[in-house]
Amino acid sequence: MATTARSGGNASGSTAQRPNGTQQNKNCQFKLVLLGESAVGKSSLVLRFVKGQFHEYQESTIGAAFLTQTICIEDTVVKFEIWDTAGQERYHSLAPMYYRGAQAAIVVYDIQNQDSFQRAKTWVKELHKQASPNIVIALAGNKADLSNIRVVEYEEAKQYAEENGLLFMETSAKTGMNVNDIFLAIAKKLPKNDGAHNQGAPAGRRLNDNENNRQTNNCCK
Amino acid sequence: MHQSSSKPESRLAAITFFAKTHPGDVCGSNGLPLTPNSIAILGRAQRLKDLKHPHLCQYLDFVRGKHERTIVVSEYFGTTLLDKSRVALLDSLIARIFYQIVCALKELAEQNLVVHNLEPKHILLDDCNNVKIFNYGLYHMTKCGDYVPFPIGNVRYMPPERFLGAKNNIKSDIWSLGMIVAELLLQTTIWSGMKISNITRKILSFLQVGNVFEKIAREHNCLERYAQINGELRALVETCLNVAPSKRPLPTELLSHPYFSKDVTTYAYTEPPKSNVLLLRCPLEQIYYWWQLAGGDVQSELKKEGLIRSEAPILAIPQIVCLNGAIVGPKRSQSYLMDDRVVPLKLNNLFEKLCNLPAMAYFPLIHSPKFPHNFGASMAQLPLVIREKDIEYQFYRVRLFSRLLKGYPYTSDMIRKEAAKDIPPYLRGPIWACLLDVIPIGSYEKIDKFTPTSTDRQIEVDIPRCHQYDELLSSPVGHCKLKRLLKAWVTAHPQYVYWQGLDSLTAPFLYLNFNNEELAFLSLYKFIPKYLQWFFLRDNSAIIKEYLCKFSQLTAFHEPILAKHLSSINFIPELFAIPWFLTMFSHVFPLHKIMHLWDKLMLGDSSYPLFIGISILKQLKSTLLSSGFNECILLFSDLPDIVMENCVLESQKMYECTPKSVSHRLHVLREEPLTEFDITTDVTLAHLQAEMCPRISAKDFTNLLHHAPNDMCALDLRSAVEYSHVHVPHSLNVPFVAAQLSEPRLDALGVPQLEELMHGRIVICISNTHEHAVQFSKFLVECGVLRVCILHKGFNILHTIEPNILISN
Ligand SMILES: Nc1nc2c(ncn2[C@@H]2O[C@H](COP(=O)(O)OP(=O)(O)O)[C@@H](O)[C@H]2O)c(=O)[nH]1
Ligand SMILES: [Mg+2]
């Protein structure tokens, strides 16, 4: 009963070219961290993005879980190394370990919970102060399938995001709405030129350029 | 239902019904699917198992089948009142039946339960004319019938107020009782053959009637018989049939009525003769458990009786579906309709399996050395999964532990000793409680579990994510219980806070003691200080850091090559092992795996979990060794199937061969104070973090030297001169200053046969310059040497040991 799922197929050692790949494919990997109050749907978003699944009884995350997923924009293969963190305030002290060196963050709140939106704002502040200055931050208003009982208005969040230079989308891990899109939007905004293979923390990681799973194909439009 | 006269008689039976299905894709307000009603029933029904009363059939099990089917297993025997009353009964027997049903109702009223389906076929009589009522929990388990698509209760015995919507009043059951007794006394079947709607009308018309009993007698032409009834008895029935519930007597009032009290022995329960079948003297719940192990399966019994019919789904597919949703096709299958037949479960198989057991095995003598109780010893070597499914073995174990548990706490040592062999799953909950030294004293009741607190939100969002694949834990009753337990724990520990993960930690105890919240609570209460002392402090970072550091050190101790690899790729336990230890693996494994893991854990001390962690690494060793950081961390984000039996055996082995001080942590609950020969408190976290290998205490060192010199290899790192002055017997001198440590190669040390000398032993690095020992031990780990540690306080501490252990020249 692990905390989260792993991405498919990334352990393959083959280095064959993707069948439809062009020769000058660039490879980037980015470290991305999910932050936000407990039970807003962080793990569910990752599970949807990485495996295309939704578990109603998603187990809570303790400490953090790690997953990867590769998508492809234009001629670049982008691999996300995703840290999904525990939401409870008490686990806060662990958070820097995960957002340190991250190039991107998704701060998640639940559109039917005002407190979670406030908490999201606090995370954004903390990231601006403590994380790397170029970090790309996206704000995700999750559980958009429940918009009939929302308490956080779309416009309010949108405005907040604009004022703070955040990407913003309302998402639903349940229906899949905007889930791939938010990761895609982040990938587009991340710099992909400067040899950005940006080995974050641990050294000696292998690049995989042969991911051709379902997600990848979907995103190559 | 007639009891077959051939022995062995059946004592158990099953009934089945369907719960209401939720329409299509309806979601709760959280957008998630609603809990199936059959699960809700399962949760509510559990407490019925605890009702043990001479006039109530004992509930034994509740099983969910396909399509929201619920199966109820309960005690069942003798003759129903329906059958018995086909011939007229004597008034004295009727009075006895009356009295005993009231006894049952009194007990239920005390438990805040109502029956609401009391009728003659639910009243059973044994050979001594003792009454037990059957199926009395249906109304409760279905939440007043809300969870089922059919009405509960036989219209004929329903009081008028039930038609008007009144529920949950024991007085309604008193009316039903009145009707049953009236019918018996009048020797007739009331309203026989009448349609339900007409019966309803009749009952409602009673609202205008003064004396219902008399009215019924008149309608059925029984006035003559009515007049013959003993006046007192008749009056009692009349009060029961009072139209106003408030004017009907309570069970206690009936019981103390002079009509009964003047001759109570004729009416009260008669102890039936003891069965000469030994098995039938065992508790019914044990008999049912063994019945299952002997191959009994309720679902297949119901199939045999045609109560569960499987039909090819294709036959149910409509032929035409109109645009307005109307369906043309085969008629709705009859097999989904209510069928209230009672299916007895035959015990023949079980009797056959157990017929050769010695009588002693039923009631093992645990205090008479003359009668050893080691039944089943020959099976002790079989794999655990086989032992757990073996009827004969489990019979011995359950009987033995039942005995031992009765003697607790005086039998603590014996329980511990037997539990080390294995723990019978059937008694796991109470056995764990004993291993944790739990003694219930009613304290749980007094703890506030209701006042709202700031942790409530966190608890509320965690519970619906906690082991929800389990039927009981996902039921609404399960949620309430878990919430109460968590809130109680937080209230009882002002010094601690709720950390996410406490829910998972509590789940196994709730799962095992679903009907005994106090035992679940006290087990958790004792478990945490034993294994997770101070983990739930608001700031627990020092504790967790020390723990993880010790984990790394012990990994280096038992798995040097793996430790070296993991450290080289920066794969630190902080990234994956927090949920392991904070929840003692209850967040990472499903419940059935935790059971076996914790069976062993309960017998070990606070260091045991560290070895479980290492055994998990060990099982994944080849994958880990060939993987980089990402692959490793991915492996742990979705832990592959760990074979628990290996994990348990491995951890046990490591635990036993590791000197206590090697796994020493500062942050544990200590019973005895530390001495200068233990690992002293001046060893800080910074030390631990800087040292790859654990330290061993002078005490353990001396112990090894005295009792198991062949298990150790002492490497003296001091100079040859110092060594020649004084040294430990059998120690090897490997002067640090001369040692070549630049490359991880043992032969570079130039000590002949060093590898063989260290093989299979605990390698202890001794120096007076601590830094030398640290560096040298790290070198050994990198060379792949097993079980390397450092003598705490170095060589000098050995001078102070008395009697002297050193050889000096
Ligand atoms: N209706 C709805 N429920 C969701 C959605 N995302 C997550 N959930 C549910 O919210 C609960 C918490 O989700 P989880 O992913 O564990 O949240 P986390 O603590 O932030 O990781 C789970 O029961 C999910 O099934 C969503 O988009 N819509
Ligand atoms: Mg989560």
Side-chain angles (χ1 to χ4, degrees):
Chain A
M1 218 204 18
T3 34
T4 25
R6 61 176 292 185
S7 106
N10 61 330
S12 151
S14 148
T15 50
Q17 274 293 320
R18 292 157 36 74
N20 59 345
T22 46
Q23 288 310 315
Q24 63 272 56
N25 262 8
K26 273 189 283 181
N27 297 297
C28 298
Q29 56 181 333
F30 296 111
K31 182 173 162 188
L32 180 148
V33 61
L34 277 107
L35 299 167
E37 170 99 80
S38 209
V40 294
K42 297 179 295 299
S43 304
S44 300
L45 283 172
V46 181
L47 185 66
R48 173 62 79 187
F49 176 56
V50 171
K51 281 199 167 175
Q53 297 175 349
F54 178 71
H55 295 166
E56 292 122 26
Y57 306 114
Q58 176 66 39
E59 292 102 17
S60 60
T61 314
I62 292 176
F66 180 80
L67 298 96
T68 62
Q69 177 61 298
T70 307
I71 59 171
C72 159
I73 12 171
E74 285 140 23
D75 60 347
T76 312
V77 178
V78 174
K79 176 168 179 186
F80 281 115
E81 297 173 354
I82 306 166
W83 282 104
D84 169 25
T85 62
Q88 194 189 9
E89 183 56 34
R90 298 193 202 299
Y91 285 94
H92 193 161
S93 61
L94 291 175
M97 183 159 75
Y98 301 108
Y99 66 64
R100 209 177 294 134
Q103 285 94 5
I106 304 182
V107 177
V108 188
Y109 67 92
D110 173 354
I111 63 162
Q112 38 153 10
N113 183 320
Q114 187 67 43
D115 289 345
S116 74
F117 184 50
Q118 295 312 320
R119 185 81 192 95
K121 291 183 181 171
T122 330
W123 277 118
V124 171
K125 260 191 223 139
E126 177 166 342
L127 285 174
H128 278 152
K129 253 192 251 159
Q130 319 262 10
S132 80
N134 307 327
I135 190 167
V136 173
I137 306 176
L139 181 68
N142 191 39
K143 308 201 184 178
D145 54 295
L146 301 174
S147 64
N148 56 332
I149 50 167
R150 71 160 69 237
V151 296
V152 182
E153 289 307 325
Y154 179 85
E155 285 307 326
E156 183 190 355
K158 173 94 191 144
Q159 192 189 336
Y160 168 78
E162 273 166 14
E163 286 164 9
N164 289 274
L166 318 175
L167 289 165
F168 172 64
M169 281 184 204
E170 283 197 343
T171 58
S172 168
K174 186 184 168 191
T175 66
M177 172 186 139
N178 278 345
V179 177
N180 287 347
D181 309 61
I182 198 162
F183 283 91
L184 204 60
I186 292 169
K188 285 198 177 130
K189 211 172 154 186
L190 284 164
K192 283 167 290 289
N193 33 16
D194 50 353
H197 302 89
N198 39 60
Q199 263 74 2
R205 273 181 280 169
R206 182 162 19 104
L207 280 182
N208 280 324
D209 52 1
N210 63 321
E211 312 267 331
N212 50 357
N213 54 29
R214 181 189 44 74
Q215 291 285 341
T216 311
N217 296 338
N218 284 351
C219 299
C220 281
K221 287 177 208 152
Chain B
M1 168 135 323
H2 284 287
Q3 189 64 52
S4 83
S5 53
S6 78
K7 290 269 173 187
E9 61 175 332
S10 169
R11 300 277 301 276
L12 313 170
I15 55 167
T16 181
F17 56 86
F18 287 101
K20 223 188 261 176
T21 44
H22 294 300
D25 46 3
V26 178
C27 289
S29 62
N30 57 358
L32 302 178
L34 299 167
T35 310
N37 282 327
S38 56
I39 289 201
I41 291 175
L42 209 66
R44 284 181 70 87
Q46 294 308 310
R47 64 171 283 219
L48 297 171
K49 285 189 200 164
D50 270 6
L51 295 176
K52 288 177 193 159
H53 187 268
H55 299 300
L56 296 174
C57 284
Q58 191 182 339
Y59 277 101
L60 295 160
D61 199 9
F62 309 94
V63 185
R64 279 180 78 219
K66 279 192 199 140
H67 309 299
E68 288 295 86
R69 179 188 289 285
T70 301
I71 301 164
V72 179
V73 181
S74 126
E75 180 178 9
Y76 194 87
F77 64 94
T79 317
T80 67
L81 183 57
L82 189 65
D83 284 334
K84 187 107 178 170
S85 64
R86 290 192 206 279
V87 294
L89 305 181
L90 292 174
D91 283 8
S92 60
L93 177 58
I94 297 174
R96 180 181 166 93
I97 293 169
F98 188 178
Y99 180 84
Q100 295 200 357
I101 297 176
V102 178
C103 290
L105 292 180
K106 171 173 170 276
E107 170 69 12
L108 291 170
E110 277 168 15
Q111 303 288 335
N112 276 319
L113 292 167
V114 294
V115 187
H116 286 18
N117 65 349
L118 200 59
E119 59 170 305
K121 74 172 181 204
H122 292 158
I123 294 161
L124 308 181
L125 290 120
D126 68 9
D127 296 341
C128 314
N129 284 326
N130 285 316
V131 166
K132 268 185 205 260
I133 61 173
F134 168 71
N135 202 13
Y136 51 87
L138 187 64
Y139 192 75
H140 167 76
M141 71 176 87
T142 59
K143 199 175 180 194
C144 313
D146 287 357
Y147 294 151
V148 284
F150 53 86
I152 289 177
N154 184 336
V155 183
R156 215 183 276 255
Y157 303 94
M158 265 188 213
E161 73 272 10
R162 289 257 343 255
F163 297 95
L164 306 176
K167 35 173 130 169
N168 282 325
N169 190 343
I170 190 81
K171 299 281 186 77
S172 300
D173 295 331
I174 297 289
W175 169 286
S176 309
L177 170 62
M179 285 301 266
I180 292 167
V181 176
E183 213 173 30
L184 292 175
L185 288 171
L186 296 178
Q187 296 166 2
T188 181
T189 306
I190 300 176
W191 304 316
S192 86
M194 202 183 274
K195 282 203 307 207
I196 288 183
S197 54
N198 289 341
I199 296 177
T200 315
R201 212 163 295 138
K202 286 269 184 210
I203 294 172
L204 286 172
S205 75
F206 286 149
L207 291 172
Q208 317 293 332
V209 173
N211 185 338
V212 173
F213 193 12
E214 192 217 61
K215 168 103 193 266
I216 293 173
R218 190 191 314 274
E219 272 186 0
H220 290 80
N221 298 320
C222 306
L223 273 178
E224 202 177 320
R225 172 78 194 114
Y226 174 78
Q228 289 165 358
I229 301 168
N230 170 302
E232 253 180 322
L233 179 59
R234 193 175 62 205
L236 270 181
V237 176
E238 280 165 4
T239 57
C240 292
L241 290 176
N242 206 311
V243 172
S246 60
K247 296 206 179 118
R248 290 173 216 153
L250 282 168
T252 42
E253 290 163 351
L254 282 168
L255 291 184
S256 54
H257 191 279
Y259 177 75
F260 291 127
S261 53
K262 70 172 186 260
D263 202 6
V264 86
T265 45
T266 19
Y267 305 129
Y269 181 75
T270 331
E271 193 70 45
K274 277 213 164 146
S275 170
N276 47 15
V277 184
L278 282 178
L279 181 66
L280 295 180
R281 294 193 199 170
C282 298
L284 207 52
E285 60 273 27
Q286 293 185 2
I287 297 178
Y288 173 66
Y289 176 67
W290 297 321
W291 178 81
Q292 289 172 290
L293 287 181
D297 171 31
V298 211
Q299 305 228 26
S300 63
E301 296 298 317
L302 292 180
K303 269 186 200 139
K304 270 187 230 153
E305 290 296 316
L307 253 87
I308 297 181
R309 274 176 284 172
S310 30
E311 289 168 1
I314 194 161
L315 296 177
I317 291 179
Q319 282 146 354
I320 301 171
V321 180
C322 305
L323 287 175
N324 66 3
I327 286 173
V328 182
K331 275 214 298 274
R332 192 160 166 251
S333 166
Q334 297 294 300
S335 55
Y336 291 104
L337 299 181
M338 173 71 185
D339 184 336
D340 64 358
R341 269 180 295 165
V342 181
V343 176
L345 306 179
K346 296 187 190 68
L347 297 178
N348 311 40
N349 237 347
L350 178 60
F351 278 104
E352 264 165 43
K353 297 247 163 133
L354 297 180
C355 63
N356 292 326
L357 302 193
M360 286 272 300
Y362 286 85
F363 304 98
L365 299 172
I366 54 174
H367 289 299
S368 321
K370 261 201 275 173
F371 307 102
H373 54 261
N374 57 348
F375 301 109
S378 59
M379 292 167 160
Q381 298 310 317
L382 294 173
L384 182 61
V385 277
I386 296 189
R387 273 177 280 156
E388 285 194 345
K389 292 274 177 297
D390 188 278
I391 161 75
E392 195 180 321
Y393 188 73
Q394 287 306 316
F395 178 84
Y396 294 137
R397 299 299 279 170
V398 168
R399 290 312 293 164
L400 175 61
F401 272 101
S402 305
R403 253 290 157 73
L404 292 175
L405 289 171
K406 284 207 183 95
Y408 178 79
Y410 307 100
T411 47
S412 283
D413 291 342
M414 293 169 94
I415 291 177
R416 202 161 276 277
K417 196 173 129 233
E418 286 299 329
K421 296 180 192 160
D422 58 41
I423 294 181
Y426 177 76
L427 293 171
R428 186 173 270 134
I431 293 172
W432 279 9
C434 295
L435 297 177
L436 291 166
D437 298 322
V438 166
I439 296 184
I441 45 161
S443 53
Y444 180 64
E445 213 181 310
K446 296 181 200 122
I447 301 173
D448 176 9
K449 313 162 195 78
F450 302 102
T451 309
T453 66
S454 56
T455 14
D456 288 359
R457 185 196 112 87
Q458 191 63 53
I459 291 175
E460 262 154 35
V461 298
D462 285 345
I463 286 173
R465 297 188 283 178
C466 181
H467 292 285
Q468 294 298 292
Y469 53 87
D470 180 69
E471 293 172 339
L472 286 183
L473 293 185
S474 70
S475 70
V477 171
H479 284 194
C480 288
K481 283 176 180 282
L482 186 51
K483 182 171 173 188
R484 277 200 296 267
L485 285 168
L486 291 172
K487 282 183 70 88
W489 190 87
V490 174
T491 314
H493 297 87
Q495 73 277 36
Y496 294 141
V497 295
Y498 174 83
W499 280 82
Q500 264 187 306
L502 188 66
D503 52 335
S504 303
L505 196 60
T506 310
F509 294 115
L510 174 56
Y511 172 80
L512 290 179
N513 304 296
F514 199 79
N515 271 346
N516 192 340
E517 250 174 80
E518 170 158 42
L519 206 59
F521 175 79
L522 292 177
S523 300
L524 175 72
Y525 188 91
K526 291 282 198 166
F527 182 88
I528 289 180
K530 190 165 172 196
Y531 299 103
L532 291 164
Q533 177 73 330
W534 297 309
F535 267 66
F536 292 92
L537 282 174
R538 188 175 300 274
D539 179 5
N540 61 6
S541 56
I543 290 89
I544 299 226
K545 278 186 190 144
E546 185 199 29
Y547 204 94
L548 297 178
C549 226
K550 190 40 88 176
F551 178 55
S552 297
Q553 286 191 340
L554 287 173
T555 310
F557 189 76
H558 287 290
E559 284 295 324
I561 297 175
L562 195 55
K564 180 185 165 193
H565 172 68
L566 296 181
S567 120
S568 75
I569 59 170
N570 239 331
F571 187 67
I572 50 172
E574 272 78 357
L575 296 176
F576 63 93
I578 293 176
W580 291 10
F581 297 122
L582 186 78
T583 70
M584 285 298 132
F585 306 95
S586 61
H587 192 74
V588 280
F589 291 125
L591 285 164
H592 72 271
K593 290 195 170 179
I594 297 166
M595 296 300 136
H596 290 140
L597 202 57
W598 283 19
D599 276 353
K600 284 285 175 276
L601 175 63
M602 298 282 170
L603 297 164
D605 65 18
S606 66
S607 70
Y608 195 89
L610 292 160
F611 299 103
I612 298 176
I614 300 170
S615 69
I616 294 176
L617 293 182
K618 215 167 168 167
Q619 236 176 79
L620 304 172
K621 186 170 170 180
S622 61
T623 318
L624 290 171
L625 281 178
S626 62
S627 303
F629 178 87
N630 274 10
E631 289 78 18
C632 286
I633 194 87
L634 280 170
L635 196 62
F636 286 114
S637 278
D638 190 8
L639 212 54
D641 218 12
I642 299 287
V643 184
M644 269 307 136
E645 186 141 20
N646 294 353
C647 188
V648 166
L649 289 174
E650 279 297 331
S651 50
Q652 182 87 12
K653 258 196 255 162
M654 289 187 277
Y655 174 73
E656 280 165 9
C657 76
T658 309
K660 283 282 157 260
S661 59
V662 166
S663 53
H664 164 94
R665 288 182 300 119
L666 188 58
H667 296 114
V668 295
L669 195 63
R670 217 177 297 285
E671 270 152 26
E672 282 158 28
L674 293 169
T675 70
E676 56 178 318
F677 301 112
D678 290 304
I679 308 278
T680 38
T681 51
D682 53 326
V683 183
T684 63
L685 183 63
H687 288 116
L688 288 179
Q689 285 168 335
E691 296 164 14
M692 189 168 205
C693 294
R695 303 185 186 201
I696 188 170
S697 69
K699 194 199 261 167
D700 280 345
F701 180 84
T702 323
N703 255 332
L704 277 172
L705 198 63
H706 287 320
H707 304 296
N710 292 332
D711 288 352
M712 69 185 287
C713 169
L715 299 183
D716 195 329
L717 306 181
R718 296 169 307 144
S719 69
V721 178
E722 285 170 293
Y723 182 82
S724 67
H725 277 302
V726 55
H727 63 264
V728 183
H730 314 299
S731 66
L732 284 176
N733 188 214
V734 188
F736 182 80
V737 278
Q740 269 293 337
L741 305 182
S742 51
E743 262 181 67
R745 279 180 38 227
L746 280 181
D747 50 2
L749 293 174
V751 182
Q753 291 179 316
L754 181 59
E755 199 162 350
E756 289 82 80
L757 290 171
M758 294 190 298
H759 182 79
R761 296 170 183 236
I762 296 172
V763 178
I764 303 160
C765 304
I766 309 173
S767 173
N768 273 332
T769 314
H770 182 66
E771 194 46 38
H772 291 172
V774 172
Q775 278 178 37
F776 192 80
S777 60
K778 181 165 186 243
F779 164 82
L780 290 178
V781 168
E782 285 173 350
C783 294
V785 177
L786 272 162
R787 281 178 243 143
V788 181
C789 55
I790 301 168
L791 178 64
H792 176 54
K793 292 190 174 170
F795 191 86
N796 282 343
I797 183 80
L798 301 178
H799 287 294
T800 56
I801 288 179
E802 286 178 6
N804 176 41
I805 55 167
L806 298 174
I807 303 171
S808 31
N809 295 316

